[in-house]
Amino acid sequence: MHNKSSFRGLGEKLAPYVLLAPFLFTLLVFFGYAFVRVVYFSFTNYDLFSPPQWIGFKNYLNILKDLDFGRALKNSLTFMVIVTAAQTILALFLALLLNQKVRGIKYFRAAYYMPSVTSSVVITLIFIWFFQRRGVLNFLVTTFLEYQGLIVLFLLLFALFQGLLVFYEKWRKRPVSIFEPSFLFLSLFISFAVVYWGVRFGFLAPRIVQPVDIIWFNTTKTWPEFLGKLAFPIPLGAIMLFNIWTTAPTFMLLYLAGLQDIPRELYEAAAVDGAENWHVLRYIVVPQLKPITFLVITMGLIGTLQMFDQVAILGEQAPRTSIITLAYYIYANIFPSSASPRVGMASAAAMFLALLTFLIVYVQRRVLGEGEGDHV
Amino acid sequence: MFKLRQRRWANVAAIYGFLLLFSIVFMGPFVFALLSSIKDNPTEWPPNLAVNQLMPKNWVASYRLARQGGGNGFTGGLAPNRQVYFEVSYWTGPNQEPVPPEVVIPRRVPGGAAAALKIEHYATDYVKVVDLRELHREPHDGGWLTTYGFTLVNTGSLRLDPVPMDLTVPMRQQFVSATLTPNRIERLGRTQGWNNVSAGVFPYVFYNYSRVFQENYSLSTGRQLFFLWMRNSFLLAIVRVLTTLLFGSMAGYALARLEFPGKDSIFALMLFSMMIPGQVTFISNYLVLRDGVFGLSRLFGVSSLLNTYSGLIISGLVSASSVFIMKQFFQRLPASLEESARIDGASSYTIFFRIMLPLAKPPLGALTILTFQSVWNEFFWPLVVITSPQDKYPLTLGLLTLRRTYGAAAFDWGPILAGTFISALPIVILFIVFQQYFVEGISFSGSKS
């Protein structure tokens, strides 16, 4: 009896470790050990086959001298900043749009989220097709150029009619806002009808333009050109475009959850005070969403810094220097198409990546701790 | 009052306007690519959605042709001694004498070299064209519209599939219509080509999709590669979901509700691991798998875990984020649940399996979806671990192979887009059915920082 209970006591004491065993195994072997070993490799000369040799800080000096590393770092940082900024703003906007109480909102939410459930391979392949020289995007650009004049005309007419309607109401001494929605619809309708009939009866015509030949991937050009060295390569810009498109909906869901947590009383109090929509957004919604915004920005920064799949899938489709990122640089040094693996340099670059991530999280913690800063 | 209502309507209309606009932004590229994936030429300029494969006229025609050929109307084939009857019309100017088209059954070798080995009998060796004649001629549009009819007969003793066909006419004799719309028109309109005259409805509509399966064969076993890739992805995802659910909830429970030395440092290491990108640690992990996890795999007679699914499974038994999700859930359960069981002398194992696990259905549901999705979409780690043979690839690597096969010189987008959509299909279905879990999963993983 005594024996059995002490055996049980031992079993009970070991229980947490037994339950944790599989997780501890992956955590220690595939993270802890791996991390320590990469730190070690970054100070050695190693080619995956013969034993590593200690060379001190040489790898760090070498990658700083390596042109490819410089490009990769610059590409990664540009990508990180632009994509994070754009997707955060877009995600907030989409969440505000989906937070309306209208029928069928569930279906719209599903439609918006669809790009985020598929794999990066699927998205990248579809977009290589989309961004071809004679592809859908260039067709859209061409069509836009064709109709550019008509669109400008339409907008001018729209502003004119709106102005007239508002002026008429004011003249009759009725209170009216410049953006009175029913007037907006009316002038939208009238100006569209004018342009449509103009085209129909041959007074107006779309311009005839040559098909646009923007090369999105196979180019070393940068944009915007006047920025010189600060401009980013066009292929990287194309990746940014579809990356924003895929990740914004994920963060939109986070914002949506945050919006639903804002207490109703705040809105009601604002309504009592007669606050404008814009003010509600500026002084209630955005400050209330601040924790979520920090989360979205941090996750965005860390996620974009790891961008690899798109580069690997594009492959020879775009010049290597235009799209290489830190993550791809590491991979390409371990598995180079020619020459022997340079594990030391790859590890040093990996340490750089880890350090950057660490820095982002640290800054976020600091800022969040002080409770300062007004993002979005 | 009237004013107010008018205003509300305008507001609702504006909201729907924006909602629709963004639906086009997010779904548009998908829908356009999906429709293009069944087209004969997905890179047509200007891009359009006039898809022959979606015209009911062609469905009826391909069904009839396949029935004439002695096959099932939906799957097709040209049986021995059966024949299919075909009509085609051309327009000629007033000064040109119409000429009957030259009918050729080409020896068209599909796809790569491996696929060519699979076809043993070419239709061109057995199919004869008989009874080619002019049926009628009528004035049309300042010239003549002439219709020809002919019959294709299978003179061999084997069922033939596919039966490709090319018709060629002289210059300025314009093609107008045919029993089945041709798949391509070449040489300035002189040659009209069909992939398969007796295809049947499904092979006709999903021609690009069938190419994905039928043109990619394993060099070693001769089995259809795309099928293997799908199977691999499914098996891997199922195993990884099971290990994640079990080990993730075990670890989550221990971290949330048990006290033991080292708990805080384990938790700290776990948070740290969630921060560091996989591209940092893969260097060592690659070596660990190469050396068979410190040589332990030798106990099972395997020296290296590279190019094995065991390697992928062992390195991904359970992720830190899934442990985190489970820990968050178990922490929120009331302490009273456990206390009475402890007084009754239940062990931690009993409490976990009998009391805690049955309560954890909601987070386990979200975790199932989340894990399945991430394994199905995983690209980087399989790319490192699985290099050869192609039989072992999961779908994501398979798609990369398709892109290399069909995108080597000039892009042949039909099969690439088709493969892309087949691979996305399971996840999209999963998403439509379990939408709520996806949304919850995001908020679960969002609560981690």
Side-chain angles (χ1 to χ4, degrees):
Chain A
M1 186 66 206
H2 179 79
N3 244 346
K4 200 178 171 191
S5 80
S6 80
F7 176 74
R8 250 196 95 164
L10 186 67
E12 199 47 45
K13 257 188 198 142
L14 283 178
Y17 303 104
V18 173
L19 289 172
L20 272 171
F23 175 56
L24 273 183
F25 167 75
T26 31
L27 186 67
L28 292 179
V29 173
F30 293 103
F31 177 74
Y33 175 65
F35 191 75
V36 172
R37 201 144 67 133
V38 171
V39 175
Y40 166 67
F41 283 154
S42 73
F43 295 106
T44 62
N45 191 358
Y46 183 37
D47 64 356
L48 290 179
F49 305 105
S50 43
Q53 293 157 339
W54 186 269
I55 54 166
F57 281 94
K58 234 176 176 173
N59 285 321
Y60 291 89
L61 293 175
N62 282 342
I63 56 167
L64 290 178
K65 277 188 229 151
D66 190 358
L67 274 178
D68 261 1
F69 179 76
R71 291 191 193 106
L73 188 64
K74 188 187 149 224
N75 283 347
S76 279
L77 292 178
T78 332
F79 187 83
M80 177 181 89
V81 171
I82 296 179
V83 171
T84 307
Q87 77 191 7
T88 307
I89 294 167
L90 183 61
L92 177 62
F93 178 79
L94 291 175
L96 289 172
L97 189 61
L98 283 180
N99 198 33
Q100 310 287 340
K101 290 194 176 45
V102 292
R103 232 171 257 245
I105 203 83
K106 237 173 69 185
Y107 302 104
F108 286 108
R109 189 181 67 185
Y112 290 12
Y113 191 59
M114 196 70 94
S116 296
V117 301
T118 50
S119 68
S120 51
V121 189
V122 167
I123 298 290
T124 311
L125 285 177
I126 289 179
F127 273 88
I128 297 178
W129 170 79
F130 203 77
F131 281 72
Q132 282 175 100
R133 196 174 138 265
R134 282 276 187 268
V136 181
L137 188 66
N138 279 352
F139 173 72
L140 291 177
V141 175
T142 310
T143 316
F144 174 75
L145 290 180
E146 275 174 1
Y147 286 90
Q148 204 179 24
L150 293 181
I151 292 171
V152 170
L153 179 70
F154 167 75
L155 290 176
L156 284 177
L157 283 173
F158 176 49
L160 180 74
F161 284 121
Q162 180 72 7
L164 283 176
L165 283 169
V166 171
F167 181 74
Y168 176 72
E169 283 291 292
K170 290 229 156 132
W171 181 61
R172 294 189 50 185
K173 300 257 163 41
R174 288 191 196 147
V176 65
S177 133
I178 303 177
F179 299 109
E180 166 64 38
S182 51
F183 286 1
L184 282 179
F185 273 94
L186 194 61
S187 28
L188 209 65
F189 180 75
I190 299 173
S191 41
F192 182 79
V194 169
V195 175
Y196 178 79
W197 289 106
V199 173
R200 184 77 202 279
F201 289 115
F203 300 115
L204 301 166
R207 265 200 309 164
I208 293 167
V209 291
Q210 285 301 308
V212 174
D213 276 333
I214 304 172
I215 294 168
W216 293 95
F217 289 126
N218 200 359
T219 175
T220 48
K221 282 193 186 146
T222 56
W223 189 89
E225 275 173 79
F226 64 87
L227 279 181
K229 285 207 161 172
L230 279 175
F232 56 80
I234 288 177
L236 192 70
I239 300 179
M240 285 180 198
L241 274 181
F242 66 81
N243 210 75
I244 293 166
W245 184 80
T246 28
T247 42
T250 311
F251 295 121
M252 168 195 85
L253 286 185
L254 286 180
Y255 267 130
L256 209 51
L259 280 174
Q260 274 147 15
D261 285 345
I262 296 180
R264 282 183 62 115
E265 296 84 57
L266 283 177
Y267 290 115
E268 281 158 12
V272 169
D273 292 346
E276 294 260 342
N277 280 342
W278 167 246
H279 286 135
V280 174
L281 181 68
R282 175 74 182 77
Y283 295 107
I284 296 180
V285 176
V286 170
Q288 284 283 318
L289 286 178
K290 212 163 96 181
I292 308 254
T293 305
F294 273 111
L295 178 67
V296 167
I297 290 177
T298 315
M299 283 170 78
L301 291 175
I302 296 178
T304 46
L305 208 50
Q306 300 174 19
M307 197 267 280
F308 170 87
D309 302 5
Q310 290 86 335
V311 183
I313 296 156
L314 272 174
E316 308 91 59
Q317 196 68 17
R320 182 187 150 93
T321 51
S322 307
I323 54 170
I324 189 168
T325 58
L326 268 184
Y328 193 80
Y329 178 84
I330 301 170
Y331 175 83
N333 267 309
I334 303 271
F335 304 109
S337 43
S338 56
S340 60
R342 300 188 294 182
V343 180
M345 279 174 74
S347 303
M351 291 321 296
F352 232 93
L353 183 62
L355 205 71
L356 270 174
T357 315
F358 207 69
L359 207 69
I360 291 164
V361 175
Y362 177 74
V363 169
Q364 186 237 7
R365 284 282 142 88
R366 281 298 293 272
V367 176
L368 199 61
E370 286 167 18
E372 276 179 10
D374 196 18
H375 287 252
V376 180
Chain B
M1 192 58 216
F2 174 72
K3 195 82 184 169
L4 202 67
R5 192 189 293 166
Q6 194 184 0
R7 214 178 157 136
R8 190 180 303 142
W9 275 110
N11 270 333
V12 169
I15 290 168
Y16 275 117
F18 272 111
L19 284 171
L20 274 175
L21 185 78
F22 277 94
S23 302
I24 294 172
V25 170
F26 283 107
M27 291 301 288
F30 264 120
V31 175
F32 210 106
L34 180 63
L35 291 174
S36 299
S37 75
I38 59 173
K39 275 174 80 161
D40 293 313
N41 176 16
T43 47
E44 219 175 335
W45 181 273
N48 64 71
L49 291 180
V51 185
N52 291 332
Q53 279 77 358
L54 288 184
M55 292 177 186
K57 178 211 143 199
N58 286 327
W59 297 346
V60 175
S62 55
Y63 180 82
R64 281 203 188 127
L65 287 168
R67 286 306 295 268
Q68 285 173 21
N72 176 314
F74 293 100
T75 52
L78 184 56
N81 296 320
R82 295 298 290 246
Q83 52 194 43
V84 290
Y85 176 71
F86 214 81
E87 274 183 19
V88 58
S89 307
Y90 294 96
W91 181 87
T92 43
N95 304 321
Q96 193 179 1
E97 176 62 21
V99 175
E102 183 194 337
V103 185
V104 176
I105 309 295
R107 187 182 296 272
R108 200 167 280 146
V109 182
L117 297 174
K118 285 303 262 196
I119 295 192
E120 285 142 0
H121 304 282
Y122 284 92
T124 180
D125 301 328
Y126 304 101
V127 173
K128 296 278 171 290
V129 182
V130 293
D131 212 12
L132 171 60
R133 64 198 161 94
E134 184 180 321
L135 298 175
H136 48 82
R137 192 185 293 197
E138 60 197 53
H140 181 83
D141 217 4
W144 294 97
L145 186 68
T146 317
T147 304
Y148 298 95
F150 58 89
T151 306
L152 300 177
V153 189
N154 181 358
T155 60
S157 56
L158 294 156
R159 187 176 159 277
L160 298 171
D161 189 25
V163 184
M165 179 177 77
D166 282 335
L167 300 183
T168 307
V169 289
M171 284 290 272
R172 285 190 293 279
Q173 180 166 330
Q174 285 172 18
F175 169 79
V176 177
S177 68
T179 309
L180 186 68
T181 312
N183 296 104
R184 71 193 76 77
I185 293 181
E186 287 164 333
R187 295 169 69 197
L188 300 169
R190 285 183 59 202
T191 301
Q192 302 88 44
W194 282 263
N195 295 326
N196 190 355
V197 177
S198 63
V201 180
F202 292 135
Y204 172 73
V205 175
F206 297 107
Y207 178 69
N208 289 331
Y209 286 75
S210 66
R211 281 183 70 190
V212 171
F213 287 97
Q214 289 176 356
E215 291 181 7
N216 295 284
Y217 287 95
S218 158
L219 290 173
S220 51
T221 58
R223 298 179 65 186
Q224 291 184 352
L225 275 178
F226 204 82
F227 174 74
L228 287 176
W229 297 335
M230 281 179 84
R231 194 200 61 181
N232 292 343
S233 270
F234 263 113
L235 286 181
L236 187 66
I238 289 168
V239 173
R240 296 257 315 255
V241 165
L242 291 179
T243 60
T244 302
L245 290 186
L246 179 64
F247 299 146
S249 51
M250 275 161 56
Y253 168 72
L255 284 175
R257 307 197 71 111
L258 299 178
E259 290 304 325
F260 56 94
K263 179 174 159 178
D264 292 338
S265 32
I266 291 175
F267 188 62
L269 186 64
M270 180 179 120
L271 286 184
F272 185 52
S273 81
M274 285 163 77
M275 214 172 70
I276 298 300
Q279 287 106 353
V280 174
T281 46
F282 90 96
I283 305 167
S284 161
N285 294 346
Y286 171 79
L287 292 168
V288 167
L289 289 189
R290 187 188 74 179
D291 303 336
V293 193
F294 315 115
L296 286 177
S297 70
R298 269 175 234 278
L299 297 176
F300 303 93
V302 188
S303 61
S304 163
L305 289 174
L306 289 181
N307 289 318
T308 65
Y309 273 79
S310 321
L312 280 182
I313 292 166
I314 288 173
S315 57
L317 280 181
V318 50
S319 66
S321 56
S322 46
V323 173
F324 192 88
I325 289 175
M326 293 314 294
K327 176 185 176 286
Q328 296 287 88
F329 174 78
F330 285 126
Q331 242 163 6
R332 269 182 258 140
L333 294 179
S336 56
L337 276 174
E338 234 165 327
E339 278 161 4
S340 54
R342 289 236 180 252
I343 292 166
D344 291 347
S347 70
S348 295
Y349 307 106
T350 319
I351 292 172
F352 172 66
F353 283 108
R354 293 278 163 80
I355 300 174
M356 290 296 171
L357 209 50
L359 286 172
K361 274 176 197 147
L364 288 179
L367 206 55
T368 305
I369 302 288
L370 224 59
T371 312
F372 189 92
Q373 186 200 3
S374 72
V375 175
W376 189 267
N377 293 345
E378 199 177 32
F379 177 72
F380 177 70
W381 187 228
L383 181 72
V384 171
V385 178
I386 313 268
T387 44
S388 71
Q390 292 184 334
D391 303 37
K392 284 188 181 171
Y393 284 178
L395 253 182
T396 42
L397 295 190
L399 283 182
L400 193 65
T401 314
L402 278 192
R403 182 219 171 287
R404 288 196 185 124
T405 311
Y406 294 105
F411 270 99
D412 186 355
W413 273 106
I416 301 180
L417 284 179
T420 304
F421 280 103
I422 302 172
S423 84
L425 192 68
I427 286 294
V428 170
I429 291 176
L430 210 65
F431 171 63
I432 290 169
V433 177
F434 296 108
Q435 214 204 106
Q436 203 51 43
Y437 282 112
F438 273 86
V439 177
E440 273 167 25
I442 292 297
S443 9
F444 269 130
S445 55
S447 63
K448 71 185 169 196
S449 305

